[in-house]
Amino acid sequence: MVNPETAYQSRVLDGLITQCERYDYDIISFTPLVDIWFYKRDYLSAEMNIFELIDFDMIDALVVAAISLTRNDDYEEVRRFERFLREYSTKPVVSVDLPMEGCEYISTEDAPAFSRIAAHILDVHKVSPEDIYVLTGRKDLDISINRVNGVRNEFARRGYELDDSRVFYGDYWYPSGAEMADRIISGELKMPRAVICGSDHMAIGLANRLVNAGIKIPEQVLVTGYDATQDAVTNEIPITSFEPNVKSAAQQAINLIHRRIDPDEPEIPADEPDEKSLCLGSSCGCQINLNYLRSNLRLLIYKTAHDYSNGFVNDDQDMSTVIESYMLEQLTAAKTPDDCLEQIYLLTYLIRPYRNFYLCLRPDWLNAYRTLRHGYPDIMKMVIHTIPEGQQGREDTHIFYSDTNGEEFPLKKLLPVLDVPRDKAGVFYFVPVHFQGDTLGYAVLHCDLADRVKPTAVFRNWVRNVNNALEMMRAQNRLLSYSLYDSMTGLLNRRGMDRSYTSLCRAAEEGDSCLALVIDMNRLKNINDTYGHAEGDTAIMQLAHCAASIASDDRFIAVRAGGDEFYVIGLGRFDEGMAERKREALLKAVSRIDAESGKDYTFSASVGCCQKPYTPSVKLEELLHEADVQMYEHKKHIKQTLPF
């Protein structure tokens, strides 16, 4: 389901939600929040990456709103999805309104709608059948042919025939309508009295181009569209349109699935089409239907004064609530990752109503040096779970917002709570979280089916702000890393050492021990003078690798203290000989590199160590000083065999 806030996709969701509620089925919707023709291709790629989450072990069936995967005459995304299904699909798959290889197929019944549009032009506006053109989509698409057949059927019912010379083909987008207008303006085509268009966008392209050329709509040419979109009703000349019965097609798709997965259970019929589906605008000469206008304008109005008498904000959100919340400023002010996540949690009131909201990120999301362009890691981390204010008494309450204490889980689960029994069916909208083309994770909006919640422009822009805030934290973390880590080796510097050791001390318990190793390379000056500083840098990097290799878990830190001197510091439940074993392990690592290097010089290091029972009074400087004394004793011993 690509870009669910558009008219077509919203109606598909209406049908899925309605029918799944009747059968008590959960819905998992994998939902890119932009259109397939979005111009920033790296951004679009990261949005489409959400489809990589589809796991047929986790679902019973799949419904594909295939039309939303097309871009003008570009069907590459459809073909890619077909390849994905061939490789991975093990469950029933139903495509809506566009046939796909290997899928069962349900289509919206467009022909009756176009019969009604034709009847309106013929009966209300008294247009002769010979003065009507039909502009539809691609000739090889069933939906294009069905729309033309609706007009043919109405003509035939009245004893007329729709001549093929008055049927034209396009791609359902603005340029197709504009191209037809150009042919009329140039005189290539005789000016018709009416044009029935297979989509609102073709109708808009046609009407606007004609008006710009001085041809009056509807006085000279009547124009109708199809889909009843916001673009049609808010056009300078509102387009007469028709709301297609997409909802019923989606319900039929669920019924088809129901017959496959619950064959012994009774089937619930899809809803009958709404008789009020003809939406009158002024492009055909009628007075615009005010309900048609009002229902669409309401979604576009920027309110400047909200009624907060029943709470800070109502569940019925619009874009002004997001902008006037100063959400971006709140997120920008966050100082730490956990502070950022807390601000995101506090701002979830803007996306109500919902039952649960989850934010799941890559465990390494804060590492701005790593990017992920395709798929998701095998392990994810849930860093936010929240429910709406006022529902904290629910039994499933589990509110938290923390990267530090986030819950890691296997990607195969999609969400840790997805397999937990629930008291009512719901819809889980999985939406991508990313910055440009770099995937950071995904967010999940869980809503009760009865609430009929669908993602809107409010939710899309809210998620965009979250994306930007997370990237800002990554950038801040990168800047912080410059001050805490040695740029050459990637190990902690002295400032990073102090910060990390303080964290170890906070987690220390009675009975813990602290230890320190001081490591110094032997004969670095000789290596630099004889073989060059590049070779000396290589030797330093090798010693850094040895130090990091013995800092084996989160009880240890490895530090480049400066030049060719390194520390390994540990604090935890260690036995008495841990420091000495770490020293021996490091010396073995150094010897192994020396034996395998094939260099003309000897790669070696002097190492001293110290270990003490931990108490708050133990000073790190004292620990390092004692280890340093031992290191110099070791260096004196080595000098006897390696002349300096």
Side-chain angles (χ1 to χ4, degrees), residues 24 33 58 84 98 112-113 128-129 148 152 205 237 276 293 301 352 394 400 429 443 452 457 485 517 578 583:
D24 201 32
L33 295 177
M58 293 289 294
F84 166 77
L98 184 69
S128 169
V148 175
R152 288 191 194 279
I237 298 177
K276 299 178 182 178
L293 177 65
I301 291 173
R352 296 186 330 195
R394 278 176 19 200
F400 77 92
Y429 294 106
R452 300 290 189 272
Y485 291 88
L517 278 70
M578 175 63 82
R583 178 178 180 274

Side-chain angles (χ1 to χ4, degrees), residues 108-117 146 150 153-154 242:
T108 302
E109 294 184 16
D110 291 328
F114 278 81
S115 292
R116 286 185 58 192
I117 294 171
N146 289 340
N153 295 342
E154 188 60 28
F242 197 97

Side-chain angles (χ1 to χ4, degrees), residues 339-604:
D339 185 22
C340 177
L341 296 175
E342 181 179 8
Q343 292 305 313
I344 294 171
Y345 151 74
L346 291 173
L347 289 160
T348 54
Y349 74 86
L350 292 167
I351 55 173
R352 296 186 330 195
Y354 63 88
R355 186 170 180 83
N356 294 278
F357 173 79
Y358 308 90
L359 181 61
C360 304
L361 302 177
R362 294 163 24 198
D364 67 346
W365 72 276
L366 275 170
N367 188 337
Y369 298 100
R370 295 183 182 174
T371 59
L372 181 63
R373 301 288 178 179
H374 180 76
Y376 294 84
D378 292 338
I379 299 296
M380 294 293 292
K381 180 161 64 170
M382 186 164 68
V383 296
I384 293 179
H385 174 203
T386 183
I387 64 175
E389 183 181 353
Q391 296 188 25
Q392 278 73 11
R394 278 176 19 200
E395 292 182 2
D396 60 347
T397 299
H398 180 45
I399 297 175
F400 77 92
Y401 37 87
S402 172
D403 178 67
T404 307
N405 300 309
E407 179 184 348
E408 293 194 353
F409 63 93
L411 179 67
K412 291 281 289 182
K413 295 189 71 171
L414 295 182
L415 199 62
V417 299
L418 204 56
D419 56 356
V420 175
R422 289 175 294 279
D423 58 355
K424 59 179 73 174
V427 54
F428 294 81
Y429 294 106
F430 281 72
V431 302
V433 171
H434 60 99
F435 186 77
Q436 305 293 19
D438 186 10
T439 290
L440 303 179
Y442 49 86
V444 185
L445 191 69
H446 170 210
C447 307
D448 292 333
L449 292 179
D451 289 336
R452 300 290 189 272
V453 174
K454 296 170 289 184
T456 63
V458 171
F459 183 61
R460 172 169 53 85
N461 283 280
W462 187 91
V463 171
R464 284 178 62 197
N465 285 340
V466 169
N467 290 343
N468 292 334
L470 295 176
E471 179 62 20
M472 194 156 40
M473 279 296 106
R474 282 158 54 85
Q476 182 175 309
N477 196 61
R478 179 167 51 216
L479 292 174
L480 182 62
S481 74
Y482 292 151
S483 67
L484 300 179
Y485 291 88
D486 173 56
S487 60
M488 178 179 174
T489 64
L491 300 185
L492 292 168
N493 58 24
R494 284 180 176 269
R495 183 179 178 188
M497 174 190 73
D498 291 339
R499 184 174 179 143
S500 296
Y501 185 70
T502 299
S503 296
L504 289 176
C505 291
R506 288 197 193 103
E509 299 177 350
E510 186 177 349
D512 283 353
S513 297
C514 50
L515 62 83
L517 278 70
V518 174
I519 307 157
D520 191 79
M521 186 183 297
N522 296 325
R523 303 183 69 191
L524 176 62
K525 184 177 185 305
N526 179 67
I527 295 171
N528 284 332
D529 292 347
T530 306
Y531 302 98
H533 284 272
E535 188 63 35
D537 288 347
T538 298
I540 290 172
M541 289 292 293
Q542 289 173 325
L543 189 56
H545 177 75
C546 294
S549 70
I550 66 166
S552 52
D553 56 50
D554 57 9
R555 299 174 299 171
F556 299 92
I557 57 176
V559 181
R560 186 185 183 194
D564 59 346
E565 186 175 33
F566 297 86
Y567 302 153
V568 172
I569 299 163
L571 201 165
R573 191 60 55 89
F574 304 138
D575 60 37
E576 196 170 308
M578 175 63 82
E580 187 58 39
R581 288 199 302 276
K582 288 292 182 183
R583 178 178 180 274
E584 291 172 1
L586 184 127
L587 290 172
K588 284 181 180 178
V590 169
S591 296
R592 185 164 52 253
I593 290 176
D594 180 56
E596 296 173 355
S597 69
K599 305 287 186 181
D600 293 337
Y601 59 85
T602 301
F603 175 66
S604 70

